[in-house]
Amino acid sequence: MTSTDTPSADLPEHVRANREYWDSMAESWVAPGERSWAHDSPTWGVFSRPQSEVPFLPEDLDGLDAIELGCGTAYVSAWMARRGAKPVGIDNSAAQLATARRLQAEHGLEFPLLHGNAERVPYPDASFDLAVSEYGAAIWCDPYVWIPEAARLLRPGGRLVFLCNSVVSMLCAPDDETEPSTERMLRPQRDMHRFAWPEGGVEFHLGHGEMIRLLRGCGFEVEDLIEIFAPEDATDSGVAYAPAEWSKQWPVEEVWRARRV
Ligand SMILES: C[S@@+](CC[C@H](N)C(=O)[O-])C[C@H]1O[C@@H](n2cnc3c(N)ncnc32)[C@H](O)[C@@H]1O
């Protein structure tokens, strides 16, 4: 693992808080990470939708320089590497990266893993063809910082793809993470940006209009916004904010696909 680490005291307050939070949570992500590394076909979101239904990864990854922003246990990077891409993963949590490094060794798949903040990536401008984030920078970094950074890292024509909670889900998810979302909106959409949760993490979510303006302002053309619903035969996912009946009616997650002009 390469360390590009900034001392914690020099990190922005939310990055410091999220480093502490994710280092403390990493143990509970070991088993899901192991399962995902062992799985060869990518699935996406809390209802494990197949790539054929939720086309998160571009079809042809062969030879692409790719970066995963907030890679966690790095199974998305592993899926990209197996399809011919040359991934680099960056994550803010040394504990998450320790799992990623162990799984690399177990699966005989090596690619660079950096310990650092995805809002400031130590690579030159235009280093990558593809930047992805599945619940990494996509929700844990400030979009007004990480999206311009992703634009800087991408070559002209390069792609940015990220998966995050849907806007409606963020309006309905209770503060208590063990409680289910209901049909009641619990917070305003106006000025939505920073969400500090009682259990410790700090997330960021924007409404669709603001996200489109931000992406376009950073030099991206928005290609798609894929809203993810639970399938008709779904039973509860085990994730409280995503009850099956709720998620059949409203999108629980969304995938943004954008191209660097
Ligand atoms: C839910 S995981 C997503 C990663 C991967 N898809 C997974 O499920 O293992 C969230 C990851 O984002 C990372 N993260 C949070 N803030 C970050 C930041 N500022 N820079 C890089 N990674 C960050 C956390 O350390 C954590 O590993």
Side-chain angles (χ1 to χ4, degrees):
M1 177 173 73
T2 309
S3 183
T4 57
D5 200 12
T6 309
S8 278
D10 298 336
L11 293 169
E13 172 273 324
H14 65 276
V15 179
R16 201 165 56 237
N18 286 336
R19 177 169 290 188
E20 203 174 299
Y21 176 72
W22 274 99
D23 279 341
S24 74
M25 291 287 289
E27 188 57 38
S28 49
W29 289 77
V30 169
E34 287 172 346
R35 279 197 297 277
S36 297
W37 267 82
H39 206 348
D40 197 37
S41 313
T43 61
W44 306 109
V46 293
F47 290 97
S48 301
R49 307 316 299 145
Q51 167 79 18
S52 55
E53 271 179 38
V54 175
F56 179 89
L57 293 177
E59 222 159 83
D60 185 7
L61 290 171
D62 202 33
L64 295 190
D65 291 311
I67 183 156
E68 186 178 4
L69 301 165
C71 63
T73 58
Y75 55 83
V76 176
S77 289
W79 291 337
M80 292 196 292
R82 288 176 190 148
R83 284 160 180 74
K86 294 174 281 177
V88 171
I90 182 167
D91 200 278
N92 189 30
S93 161
Q96 285 276 83
L97 289 172
T99 305
R101 202 168 20 154
R102 175 174 64 75
L103 289 166
Q104 281 191 325
E106 283 178 25
H107 288 266
L109 201 55
E110 292 290 327
F111 46 82
L113 291 172
L114 280 63
H115 185 212
N117 174 13
E119 295 173 354
R120 284 191 62 182
V121 178
Y123 270 82
D125 295 359
S127 292
F128 297 98
D129 307 299
L130 175 65
V132 304
S133 175
E134 185 214 32
Y135 281 120
I139 68 166
W140 298 99
C141 290
D142 187 335
Y144 296 109
V145 185
W146 85 265
I147 289 181
E149 180 67 346
R152 183 188 72 75
L153 291 167
L154 285 168
R155 299 176 181 133
R159 288 227 161 85
L160 172 64
V161 186
F162 58 96
L163 191 156
C164 51
N165 308 89
S166 69
V167 172
V168 68
S169 174
M170 294 316 299
L171 301 181
C172 295
D175 277 345
D176 179 344
E177 61 175 350
T178 64
E179 292 290 322
S181 296
T182 68
E183 295 181 15
R184 182 158 170 251
M185 291 198 177
L186 300 172
R187 48 190 76 86
Q189 181 173 337
R190 187 172 191 156
D191 296 331
M192 107 186 224
H193 175 220
R194 185 180 186 279
F195 292 68
W197 297 107
E199 68 268 25
V202 179
E203 294 181 18
F204 296 88
H205 301 269
L206 297 181
H208 288 165
E210 186 60 12
M211 181 60 85
I212 290 169
R213 273 187 296 279
L214 175 59
L215 287 165
R216 288 173 57 85
C218 292
F220 286 105
E221 176 195 333
V222 176
E223 291 188 319
D224 207 350
L225 169 59
I226 304 165
E227 294 167 313
I228 307 179
F229 294 83
E232 282 309 325
D233 61 353
T235 53
D236 278 343
S237 65
V239 176
Y241 68 75
E245 290 313 312
W246 190 98
S247 310
K248 289 175 194 175
Q249 299 174 79
W250 295 281
V252 67
E253 294 159 308
E254 57 195 40
V255 173
W256 287 86
R257 296 173 58 96
R259 184 186 278 274
R260 184 82 170 89
V261 179

Short mmCIF file of all heavy atoms in Angstrom, two decimals, residues 11-12 14-23 25-26 29 32-33 36 44 68-77 79 90-97 114-121 133-142 146 202 204, ligand 1:
data_model
loop_
_atom_site.label_atom_id
_atom_site.label_comp_id
_atom_site.label_asym_id
_atom_site.label_seq_id
_atom_site.Cartn_x
_atom_site.Cartn_y
_atom_site.Cartn_z
N LEU A 11 -6.20 17.56 8.02
CA LEU A 11 -7.32 17.23 7.14
C LEU A 11 -8.51 18.13 7.45
O LEU A 11 -8.69 18.57 8.60
CB LEU A 11 -7.74 15.77 7.36
CG LEU A 11 -6.74 14.69 6.93
CD1 LEU A 11 -7.19 13.32 7.45
CD2 LEU A 11 -6.59 14.67 5.40
N PRO A 12 -9.38 18.39 6.44
CA PRO A 12 -10.64 19.09 6.74
C PRO A 12 -11.41 18.33 7.83
O PRO A 12 -11.29 17.11 7.93
CB PRO A 12 -11.39 19.06 5.41
CG PRO A 12 -10.35 18.81 4.36
CD PRO A 12 -9.25 18.03 5.02
N HIS A 14 -14.47 17.28 8.23
CA HIS A 14 -15.31 16.12 7.88
C HIS A 14 -14.45 14.92 7.48
O HIS A 14 -14.83 13.77 7.72
CB HIS A 14 -16.31 16.47 6.78
CG HIS A 14 -15.70 16.82 5.47
ND1 HIS A 14 -15.25 18.08 5.15
CD2 HIS A 14 -15.45 16.06 4.37
CE1 HIS A 14 -14.74 18.08 3.93
NE2 HIS A 14 -14.85 16.86 3.43
N VAL A 15 -13.28 15.18 6.87
CA VAL A 15 -12.40 14.06 6.45
C VAL A 15 -11.79 13.41 7.70
O VAL A 15 -11.70 12.18 7.79
CB VAL A 15 -11.30 14.56 5.48
CG1 VAL A 15 -10.38 13.43 5.06
CG2 VAL A 15 -11.94 15.20 4.25
N ARG A 16 -11.45 14.23 8.66
CA ARG A 16 -10.90 13.70 9.92
C ARG A 16 -11.97 12.86 10.64
O ARG A 16 -11.71 11.75 11.09
CB ARG A 16 -10.45 14.88 10.79
CG ARG A 16 -9.45 14.51 11.84
CD ARG A 16 -8.75 15.71 12.44
NE ARG A 16 -9.66 16.68 13.00
CZ ARG A 16 -9.70 17.96 12.63
NH1 ARG A 16 -8.91 18.41 11.71
NH2 ARG A 16 -10.56 18.79 13.21
N ALA A 17 -13.19 13.41 10.71
CA ALA A 17 -14.28 12.69 11.39
C ALA A 17 -14.57 11.37 10.68
O ALA A 17 -14.78 10.33 11.30
CB ALA A 17 -15.54 13.56 11.43
N ASN A 18 -14.56 11.41 9.33
CA ASN A 18 -14.88 10.19 8.58
C ASN A 18 -13.74 9.16 8.64
O ASN A 18 -13.99 7.95 8.59
CB ASN A 18 -15.22 10.53 7.13
CG ASN A 18 -16.60 11.17 7.01
OD1 ASN A 18 -17.45 10.95 7.89
ND2 ASN A 18 -16.82 11.95 5.97
N ARG A 19 -12.51 9.64 8.81
CA ARG A 19 -11.39 8.68 8.97
C ARG A 19 -11.59 7.90 10.27
O ARG A 19 -11.49 6.68 10.29
CB ARG A 19 -10.07 9.45 8.99
CG ARG A 19 -8.88 8.55 9.22
CD ARG A 19 -7.58 9.26 8.96
NE ARG A 19 -7.38 9.53 7.53
CZ ARG A 19 -6.25 10.02 7.00
NH1 ARG A 19 -5.24 10.31 7.78
NH2 ARG A 19 -6.14 10.22 5.70
N GLU A 20 -11.91 8.64 11.33
CA GLU A 20 -12.13 7.98 12.63
C GLU A 20 -13.32 7.02 12.55
O GLU A 20 -13.26 5.88 13.01
CB GLU A 20 -12.42 9.07 13.66
CG GLU A 20 -12.15 8.70 15.09
CD GLU A 20 -12.34 9.92 15.98
OE1 GLU A 20 -11.63 10.92 15.80
OE2 GLU A 20 -13.24 9.85 16.82
N TYR A 21 -14.39 7.49 11.91
CA TYR A 21 -15.61 6.69 11.79
C TYR A 21 -15.33 5.40 11.01
O TYR A 21 -15.67 4.30 11.44
CB TYR A 21 -16.68 7.52 11.10
CG TYR A 21 -17.96 6.78 10.84
CD1 TYR A 21 -18.82 6.45 11.89
CD2 TYR A 21 -18.31 6.40 9.54
CE1 TYR A 21 -19.99 5.76 11.65
CE2 TYR A 21 -19.48 5.71 9.30
CZ TYR A 21 -20.32 5.39 10.34
OH TYR A 21 -21.47 4.69 10.11
N TRP A 22 -14.65 5.51 9.85
CA TRP A 22 -14.43 4.33 9.02
C TRP A 22 -13.38 3.39 9.58
O TRP A 22 -13.48 2.18 9.40
CB TRP A 22 -14.14 4.73 7.57
CG TRP A 22 -15.44 4.90 6.85
CD1 TRP A 22 -16.09 6.07 6.59
CD2 TRP A 22 -16.30 3.85 6.42
NE1 TRP A 22 -17.29 5.81 6.00
CE2 TRP A 22 -17.45 4.46 5.88
CE3 TRP A 22 -16.22 2.47 6.43
CZ2 TRP A 22 -18.51 3.72 5.36
CZ3 TRP A 22 -17.28 1.72 5.90
CH2 TRP A 22 -18.39 2.35 5.38
N ASP A 23 -12.39 3.94 10.27
CA ASP A 23 -11.43 3.03 10.93
C ASP A 23 -12.17 2.20 11.99
O ASP A 23 -11.89 1.02 12.16
CB ASP A 23 -10.27 3.83 11.56
CG ASP A 23 -9.21 4.21 10.53
OD1 ASP A 23 -9.17 3.60 9.44
OD2 ASP A 23 -8.42 5.13 10.81
N MET A 25 -15.33 1.35 11.86
CA MET A 25 -16.36 0.50 11.23
C MET A 25 -15.77 -0.61 10.38
O MET A 25 -16.49 -1.52 9.94
CB MET A 25 -17.21 1.36 10.27
CG MET A 25 -18.09 2.37 10.91
SD MET A 25 -19.47 1.55 11.70
CE MET A 25 -20.38 1.03 10.24
N ALA A 26 -14.47 -0.55 10.10
CA ALA A 26 -13.88 -1.40 9.06
C ALA A 26 -14.11 -2.89 9.32
O ALA A 26 -14.34 -3.67 8.39
CB ALA A 26 -12.39 -1.11 8.92
N TRP A 29 -17.00 -4.46 7.74
CA TRP A 29 -17.02 -4.49 6.27
C TRP A 29 -16.09 -5.55 5.71
O TRP A 29 -15.96 -5.68 4.48
CB TRP A 29 -16.70 -3.09 5.71
CG TRP A 29 -17.85 -2.17 5.98
CD1 TRP A 29 -18.16 -1.59 7.19
CD2 TRP A 29 -18.88 -1.78 5.07
NE1 TRP A 29 -19.32 -0.86 7.07
CE2 TRP A 29 -19.78 -0.95 5.79
CE3 TRP A 29 -19.14 -2.05 3.73
CZ2 TRP A 29 -20.91 -0.40 5.19
CZ3 TRP A 29 -20.26 -1.49 3.14
CH2 TRP A 29 -21.14 -0.68 3.88
N PRO A 32 -18.48 -8.52 4.03
CA PRO A 32 -19.02 -8.09 2.73
C PRO A 32 -17.93 -7.91 1.68
O PRO A 32 -18.12 -8.26 0.50
CB PRO A 32 -19.70 -6.74 3.02
CG PRO A 32 -19.96 -6.74 4.50
CD PRO A 32 -18.90 -7.61 5.13
N GLY A 33 -16.77 -7.39 2.09
CA GLY A 33 -15.65 -7.22 1.15
C GLY A 33 -15.19 -8.56 0.62
O GLY A 33 -14.95 -8.72 -0.59
N SER A 36 -17.71 -9.88 -1.91
CA SER A 36 -17.69 -9.16 -3.19
C SER A 36 -16.44 -9.49 -4.00
O SER A 36 -16.51 -9.63 -5.23
CB SER A 36 -17.79 -7.65 -2.96
OG SER A 36 -19.03 -7.36 -2.34
N TRP A 44 -24.97 -4.16 -7.99
CA TRP A 44 -24.95 -2.77 -7.52
C TRP A 44 -26.10 -2.47 -6.58
O TRP A 44 -27.24 -2.87 -6.83
CB TRP A 44 -24.98 -1.83 -8.72
CG TRP A 44 -23.89 -2.12 -9.70
CD1 TRP A 44 -24.03 -2.68 -10.94
CD2 TRP A 44 -22.47 -1.94 -9.51
NE1 TRP A 44 -22.80 -2.83 -11.53
CE2 TRP A 44 -21.82 -2.39 -10.68
CE3 TRP A 44 -21.70 -1.44 -8.45
CZ2 TRP A 44 -20.44 -2.36 -10.83
CZ3 TRP A 44 -20.32 -1.40 -8.60
CH2 TRP A 44 -19.70 -1.86 -9.78
N GLU A 68 -10.54 4.57 -8.35
CA GLU A 68 -11.72 4.40 -7.49
C GLU A 68 -11.54 5.32 -6.29
O GLU A 68 -10.61 5.17 -5.49
CB GLU A 68 -11.88 2.94 -7.05
CG GLU A 68 -13.18 2.78 -6.27
CD GLU A 68 -13.48 1.36 -5.80
OE1 GLU A 68 -12.65 0.45 -6.00
OE2 GLU A 68 -14.57 1.18 -5.21
N LEU A 69 -12.46 6.28 -6.16
CA LEU A 69 -12.34 7.34 -5.15
C LEU A 69 -13.14 6.93 -3.91
O LEU A 69 -14.37 6.96 -3.90
CB LEU A 69 -12.88 8.64 -5.74
CG LEU A 69 -12.14 9.13 -7.00
CD1 LEU A 69 -12.94 10.21 -7.73
CD2 LEU A 69 -10.75 9.64 -6.65
N GLY A 70 -12.41 6.51 -2.87
CA GLY A 70 -13.06 5.96 -1.68
C GLY A 70 -13.33 4.49 -1.95
O GLY A 70 -14.47 4.03 -1.96
N CYS A 71 -12.24 3.73 -2.12
CA CYS A 71 -12.36 2.34 -2.62
C CYS A 71 -12.74 1.35 -1.54
O CYS A 71 -13.14 0.22 -1.86
CB CYS A 71 -11.06 1.90 -3.29
SG CYS A 71 -9.64 1.84 -2.17
N GLY A 72 -12.61 1.70 -0.24
CA GLY A 72 -12.93 0.75 0.81
C GLY A 72 -12.13 -0.52 0.65
O GLY A 72 -10.90 -0.49 0.49
N THR A 73 -12.81 -1.66 0.60
CA THR A 73 -12.12 -2.94 0.46
C THR A 73 -11.74 -3.23 -1.00
O THR A 73 -11.18 -4.29 -1.28
CB THR A 73 -12.98 -4.08 1.04
OG1 THR A 73 -14.24 -4.08 0.35
CG2 THR A 73 -13.22 -3.90 2.53
N ALA A 74 -12.06 -2.33 -1.88
CA ALA A 74 -11.53 -2.29 -3.27
C ALA A 74 -12.05 -3.39 -4.20
O ALA A 74 -11.41 -3.70 -5.20
CB ALA A 74 -9.99 -2.28 -3.27
N TYR A 75 -13.25 -3.91 -3.90
CA TYR A 75 -13.76 -4.96 -4.80
C TYR A 75 -14.17 -4.39 -6.15
O TYR A 75 -14.10 -5.08 -7.16
CB TYR A 75 -14.91 -5.76 -4.16
CG TYR A 75 -16.06 -4.91 -3.68
CD1 TYR A 75 -17.06 -4.47 -4.52
CD2 TYR A 75 -16.14 -4.55 -2.34
CE1 TYR A 75 -18.10 -3.69 -4.08
CE2 TYR A 75 -17.18 -3.77 -1.87
CZ TYR A 75 -18.15 -3.34 -2.74
OH TYR A 75 -19.17 -2.55 -2.28
N VAL A 76 -14.59 -3.11 -6.20
CA VAL A 76 -14.95 -2.53 -7.50
C VAL A 76 -13.70 -2.43 -8.36
O VAL A 76 -13.71 -2.74 -9.55
CB VAL A 76 -15.65 -1.16 -7.34
CG1 VAL A 76 -15.91 -0.53 -8.70
CG2 VAL A 76 -16.96 -1.30 -6.56
N SER A 77 -12.58 -2.04 -7.72
CA SER A 77 -11.31 -2.00 -8.46
C SER A 77 -10.92 -3.40 -8.93
O SER A 77 -10.41 -3.57 -10.05
CB SER A 77 -10.19 -1.43 -7.58
OG SER A 77 -10.39 -0.04 -7.39
N TRP A 79 -13.01 -5.85 -9.68
CA TRP A 79 -13.87 -6.16 -10.84
C TRP A 79 -13.35 -5.46 -12.09
O TRP A 79 -13.34 -6.03 -13.18
CB TRP A 79 -15.31 -5.73 -10.56
CG TRP A 79 -16.02 -6.55 -9.51
CD1 TRP A 79 -15.72 -7.82 -9.12
CD2 TRP A 79 -17.15 -6.14 -8.73
NE1 TRP A 79 -16.60 -8.23 -8.14
CE2 TRP A 79 -17.48 -7.22 -7.88
CE3 TRP A 79 -17.93 -4.97 -8.65
CZ2 TRP A 79 -18.55 -7.17 -6.97
CZ3 TRP A 79 -18.99 -4.91 -7.75
CH2 TRP A 79 -19.29 -6.01 -6.93
N ILE A 90 -8.01 4.78 -3.91
CA ILE A 90 -7.62 5.67 -2.81
C ILE A 90 -8.70 5.62 -1.75
O ILE A 90 -9.89 5.60 -2.07
CB ILE A 90 -7.35 7.12 -3.30
CG1 ILE A 90 -6.90 8.01 -2.11
CG2 ILE A 90 -8.54 7.73 -4.02
CD1 ILE A 90 -6.32 9.35 -2.54
N ASP A 91 -8.28 5.54 -0.50
CA ASP A 91 -9.24 5.52 0.60
C ASP A 91 -8.63 6.23 1.81
O ASP A 91 -7.44 6.20 2.05
CB ASP A 91 -9.65 4.10 0.97
CG ASP A 91 -10.97 4.07 1.73
OD1 ASP A 91 -10.94 4.29 2.97
OD2 ASP A 91 -12.02 3.89 1.09
N ASN A 92 -9.54 6.80 2.59
CA ASN A 92 -9.20 7.60 3.77
C ASN A 92 -8.96 6.74 5.01
O ASN A 92 -8.47 7.25 6.01
CB ASN A 92 -10.42 8.54 3.98
CG ASN A 92 -10.21 9.61 5.01
OD1 ASN A 92 -9.09 10.07 5.20
ND2 ASN A 92 -11.28 10.02 5.66
N SER A 93 -9.30 5.47 4.95
CA SER A 93 -9.23 4.61 6.15
C SER A 93 -8.13 3.56 5.98
O SER A 93 -8.23 2.67 5.11
CB SER A 93 -10.59 3.92 6.37
OG SER A 93 -10.44 2.79 7.21
N ALA A 94 -7.14 3.61 6.86
CA ALA A 94 -6.06 2.62 6.81
C ALA A 94 -6.62 1.23 7.12
O ALA A 94 -6.14 0.22 6.56
CB ALA A 94 -4.98 2.99 7.82
N ALA A 95 -7.63 1.16 7.96
CA ALA A 95 -8.20 -0.15 8.34
C ALA A 95 -8.93 -0.79 7.15
O ALA A 95 -8.81 -2.00 6.92
CB ALA A 95 -9.12 0.02 9.53
N GLN A 96 -9.67 0.01 6.40
CA GLN A 96 -10.33 -0.52 5.19
C GLN A 96 -9.28 -1.00 4.19
O GLN A 96 -9.41 -2.06 3.57
CB GLN A 96 -11.19 0.58 4.53
CG GLN A 96 -12.49 0.87 5.27
CD GLN A 96 -13.57 -0.10 4.85
OE1 GLN A 96 -13.63 -1.23 5.38
NE2 GLN A 96 -14.43 0.31 3.93
N LEU A 97 -8.21 -0.23 4.04
CA LEU A 97 -7.17 -0.60 3.07
C LEU A 97 -6.40 -1.85 3.51
O LEU A 97 -5.91 -2.60 2.67
CB LEU A 97 -6.20 0.58 2.86
CG LEU A 97 -6.81 1.74 2.08
CD1 LEU A 97 -5.85 2.93 2.07
CD2 LEU A 97 -7.15 1.33 0.64
N LEU A 114 -3.84 3.66 -2.28
CA LEU A 114 -3.29 4.86 -1.62
C LEU A 114 -4.11 5.20 -0.39
O LEU A 114 -5.35 5.20 -0.46
CB LEU A 114 -3.37 6.06 -2.56
CG LEU A 114 -2.34 6.26 -3.65
CD1 LEU A 114 -2.35 5.15 -4.67
CD2 LEU A 114 -2.60 7.59 -4.35
N HIS A 115 -3.41 5.54 0.68
CA HIS A 115 -4.11 6.04 1.87
C HIS A 115 -4.15 7.56 1.77
O HIS A 115 -3.11 8.21 1.86
CB HIS A 115 -3.36 5.59 3.14
CG HIS A 115 -4.09 5.97 4.39
ND1 HIS A 115 -3.46 6.29 5.57
CD2 HIS A 115 -5.42 6.07 4.64
CE1 HIS A 115 -4.35 6.56 6.49
NE2 HIS A 115 -5.55 6.44 5.96
N GLY A 116 -5.35 8.12 1.57
CA GLY A 116 -5.43 9.57 1.43
C GLY A 116 -6.87 10.03 1.22
O GLY A 116 -7.80 9.23 1.26
N ASN A 117 -6.98 11.32 1.00
CA ASN A 117 -8.28 11.97 0.88
C ASN A 117 -8.62 12.12 -0.60
O ASN A 117 -7.87 12.76 -1.34
CB ASN A 117 -8.16 13.34 1.57
CG ASN A 117 -9.39 14.21 1.39
OD1 ASN A 117 -10.45 13.73 0.96
ND2 ASN A 117 -9.26 15.48 1.74
N ALA A 118 -9.75 11.57 -1.02
CA ALA A 118 -10.14 11.61 -2.44
C ALA A 118 -10.48 13.03 -2.91
O ALA A 118 -10.71 13.25 -4.09
CB ALA A 118 -11.32 10.68 -2.69
N GLU A 119 -10.50 13.98 -2.00
CA GLU A 119 -10.70 15.37 -2.40
C GLU A 119 -9.39 16.00 -2.91
O GLU A 119 -9.40 17.09 -3.47
CB GLU A 119 -11.25 16.19 -1.22
CG GLU A 119 -12.63 15.74 -0.78
CD GLU A 119 -13.11 16.43 0.49
OE1 GLU A 119 -12.32 17.19 1.11
OE2 GLU A 119 -14.27 16.20 0.87
N ARG A 120 -8.26 15.33 -2.61
CA ARG A 120 -6.93 15.82 -3.08
C ARG A 120 -6.09 14.62 -3.43
O ARG A 120 -5.44 14.04 -2.56
CB ARG A 120 -6.24 16.61 -1.96
CG ARG A 120 -6.81 17.99 -1.76
CD ARG A 120 -5.94 18.81 -0.85
NE ARG A 120 -4.60 19.03 -1.39
CZ ARG A 120 -3.66 19.69 -0.73
NH1 ARG A 120 -3.88 20.13 0.50
NH2 ARG A 120 -2.47 19.86 -1.27
N VAL A 121 -6.11 14.23 -4.67
CA VAL A 121 -5.48 12.97 -5.09
C VAL A 121 -4.08 13.28 -5.64
O VAL A 121 -3.93 14.16 -6.49
CB VAL A 121 -6.35 12.28 -6.17
CG1 VAL A 121 -5.68 11.00 -6.66
CG2 VAL A 121 -7.74 11.97 -5.60
N SER A 133 -16.93 5.80 -8.17
CA SER A 133 -17.12 5.75 -6.72
C SER A 133 -18.45 5.09 -6.43
O SER A 133 -19.50 5.54 -6.90
CB SER A 133 -17.11 7.14 -6.11
OG SER A 133 -17.40 7.02 -4.73
N GLU A 134 -18.39 4.01 -5.66
CA GLU A 134 -19.61 3.36 -5.20
C GLU A 134 -19.70 3.62 -3.70
O GLU A 134 -19.01 3.00 -2.90
CB GLU A 134 -19.52 1.84 -5.46
CG GLU A 134 -20.79 1.10 -5.11
CD GLU A 134 -20.52 -0.30 -4.58
OE1 GLU A 134 -19.47 -0.50 -3.92
OE2 GLU A 134 -21.36 -1.18 -4.80
N TYR A 135 -20.51 4.61 -3.33
CA TYR A 135 -20.67 4.97 -1.91
C TYR A 135 -19.36 5.39 -1.24
O TYR A 135 -19.25 5.30 -0.02
CB TYR A 135 -21.28 3.81 -1.11
CG TYR A 135 -22.76 3.65 -1.26
CD1 TYR A 135 -23.32 2.47 -1.76
CD2 TYR A 135 -23.64 4.66 -0.89
CE1 TYR A 135 -24.69 2.31 -1.89
CE2 TYR A 135 -25.00 4.51 -1.01
CZ TYR A 135 -25.53 3.34 -1.51
OH TYR A 135 -26.89 3.19 -1.62
N GLY A 136 -18.36 5.81 -2.04
CA GLY A 136 -17.11 6.30 -1.44
C GLY A 136 -17.14 7.82 -1.42
O GLY A 136 -17.95 8.44 -0.71
N ALA A 137 -16.25 8.46 -2.24
CA ALA A 137 -16.28 9.92 -2.36
C ALA A 137 -17.70 10.39 -2.70
O ALA A 137 -18.13 11.46 -2.27
CB ALA A 137 -15.32 10.36 -3.45
N ALA A 138 -18.44 9.54 -3.42
CA ALA A 138 -19.79 9.88 -3.85
C ALA A 138 -20.69 10.37 -2.72
O ALA A 138 -21.61 11.16 -2.95
CB ALA A 138 -20.43 8.67 -4.52
N ILE A 139 -20.45 9.88 -1.51
CA ILE A 139 -21.28 10.38 -0.39
C ILE A 139 -20.44 10.92 0.78
O ILE A 139 -20.96 11.66 1.60
CB ILE A 139 -22.29 9.33 0.14
CG1 ILE A 139 -21.61 8.15 0.83
CG2 ILE A 139 -23.21 8.85 -0.98
CD1 ILE A 139 -22.59 7.29 1.65
N TRP A 140 -19.15 10.55 0.87
CA TRP A 140 -18.37 10.92 2.06
C TRP A 140 -17.48 12.13 1.83
O TRP A 140 -16.84 12.62 2.76
CB TRP A 140 -17.51 9.73 2.53
CG TRP A 140 -18.35 8.56 2.92
CD1 TRP A 140 -18.63 7.46 2.17
CD2 TRP A 140 -19.05 8.37 4.16
NE1 TRP A 140 -19.46 6.61 2.86
CE2 TRP A 140 -19.74 7.14 4.08
CE3 TRP A 140 -19.16 9.14 5.34
CZ2 TRP A 140 -20.52 6.64 5.11
CZ3 TRP A 140 -19.95 8.64 6.37
CH2 TRP A 140 -20.62 7.42 6.25
N CYS A 141 -17.38 12.60 0.58
CA CYS A 141 -16.58 13.78 0.28
C CYS A 141 -17.50 14.93 -0.12
O CYS A 141 -18.60 14.71 -0.61
CB CYS A 141 -15.61 13.48 -0.87
SG CYS A 141 -14.29 12.36 -0.41
N ASP A 142 -16.98 16.14 0.06
CA ASP A 142 -17.76 17.32 -0.29
C ASP A 142 -17.81 17.44 -1.82
O ASP A 142 -16.77 17.57 -2.46
CB ASP A 142 -17.10 18.57 0.33
CG ASP A 142 -17.96 19.81 0.15
OD1 ASP A 142 -18.77 19.85 -0.80
OD2 ASP A 142 -17.81 20.74 0.95
N TRP A 146 -14.70 17.27 -4.36
CA TRP A 146 -14.27 16.03 -5.03
C TRP A 146 -14.65 15.98 -6.51
O TRP A 146 -13.91 15.40 -7.31
CB TRP A 146 -14.73 14.77 -4.28
CG TRP A 146 -16.14 14.27 -4.57
CD1 TRP A 146 -17.27 14.54 -3.86
CD2 TRP A 146 -16.53 13.37 -5.62
NE1 TRP A 146 -18.35 13.88 -4.41
CE2 TRP A 146 -17.91 13.15 -5.48
CE3 TRP A 146 -15.84 12.72 -6.65
CZ2 TRP A 146 -18.64 12.32 -6.34
CZ3 TRP A 146 -16.57 11.90 -7.52
CH2 TRP A 146 -17.94 11.70 -7.35
N VAL A 202 -19.97 11.89 8.51
CA VAL A 202 -20.48 13.11 7.85
C VAL A 202 -20.60 12.81 6.36
O VAL A 202 -19.61 12.47 5.71
CB VAL A 202 -19.51 14.30 8.05
CG1 VAL A 202 -20.05 15.55 7.35
CG2 VAL A 202 -19.28 14.56 9.54
N PHE A 204 -22.45 13.83 2.34
CA PHE A 204 -22.84 14.96 1.51
C PHE A 204 -23.77 14.47 0.40
O PHE A 204 -23.49 13.45 -0.25
CB PHE A 204 -21.60 15.61 0.88
CG PHE A 204 -20.68 16.20 1.91
CD1 PHE A 204 -19.68 15.42 2.50
CD2 PHE A 204 -20.82 17.52 2.31
CE1 PHE A 204 -18.84 15.95 3.46
CE2 PHE A 204 -19.98 18.06 3.28
CZ PHE A 204 -18.98 17.28 3.85
C1 LIG B 1 -19.18 2.27 2.06
S1 LIG B 1 -17.44 2.34 1.75
C2 LIG B 1 -17.49 2.35 0.00
C3 LIG B 1 -16.34 1.62 -0.60
C4 LIG B 1 -16.63 0.28 -1.24
N1 LIG B 1 -17.54 0.40 -2.36
C5 LIG B 1 -17.11 -0.66 -0.18
O1 LIG B 1 -18.34 -0.81 -0.04
O2 LIG B 1 -16.28 -1.24 0.54
C6 LIG B 1 -17.03 4.05 2.05
C7 LIG B 1 -15.52 4.31 1.97
O3 LIG B 1 -15.29 5.70 1.71
C8 LIG B 1 -14.09 6.01 2.37
N2 LIG B 1 -13.93 7.47 2.50
C9 LIG B 1 -14.61 8.31 3.31
N3 LIG B 1 -14.15 9.56 3.17
C10 LIG B 1 -13.15 9.52 2.25
C11 LIG B 1 -12.27 10.48 1.69
N4 LIG B 1 -12.32 11.77 2.04
N5 LIG B 1 -11.34 10.07 0.80
C12 LIG B 1 -11.26 8.76 0.43
N6 LIG B 1 -12.06 7.79 0.94
C13 LIG B 1 -13.00 8.17 1.83
C14 LIG B 1 -14.20 5.30 3.70
O4 LIG B 1 -12.96 5.21 4.36
C15 LIG B 1 -14.79 3.99 3.28
O5 LIG B 1 -13.81 3.00 3.08
#
